[in-house]
């Protein structure tokens, strides 16, 4: 389980960031847990602070970069 403050890697996009919180999203009539992540490293984009929220299963634990 990823906790607030952990660094997470997005499995599909390769983006890395720090977990800031949790959320939920309604998908096919079922609530799915999401993670709110402040992106610190993103391939192909300039380094800037931005936020991404996606389903929990698309993120995995990683080391800070």
């Amino acid at each position: 389980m990823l906790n607030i403050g952990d660094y997470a890697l997005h499995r599909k996009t390769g983006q890395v960031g720090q977990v800031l919180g949790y959320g939920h999203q309604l998908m096919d009539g079922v609530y799915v847990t999401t993670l709110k992540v402040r992106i610190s490293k993103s391939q192909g984009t300039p380094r800037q602070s931005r936020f991404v929220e996606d389903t929990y299963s698309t993120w995995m634990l990683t080391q800070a970069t």
Side-chain angles (χ1 to χ4, degrees):
M1 170 126 190
L2 291 164
N3 297 308
I4 294 174
D6 286 346
Y7 282 85
L9 169 68
H10 195 277
R11 296 175 194 261
K12 295 178 183 175
T13 64
Q15 297 172 312
V16 175
Q18 190 171 21
V19 178
L20 297 178
Y22 303 98
H24 62 274
Q25 185 176 32
L26 189 60
M27 298 177 83
D28 298 323
V30 177
Y31 280 100
V32 178
T33 303
T34 61
L35 288 180
K36 298 176 183 182
V37 177
R38 179 177 41 202
I39 300 299
S40 58
K41 179 182 177 186
S42 180
Q43 293 183 348
T45 60
R47 187 179 177 112
Q48 58 184 343
S49 182
R50 63 186 193 102
F51 300 89
V52 173
E53 182 174 3
D54 204 350
T55 57
Y56 185 89
S57 62
T58 59
W59 298 97
M60 61 184 275
L61 185 64
T62 191
Q63 299 296 319
T65 56

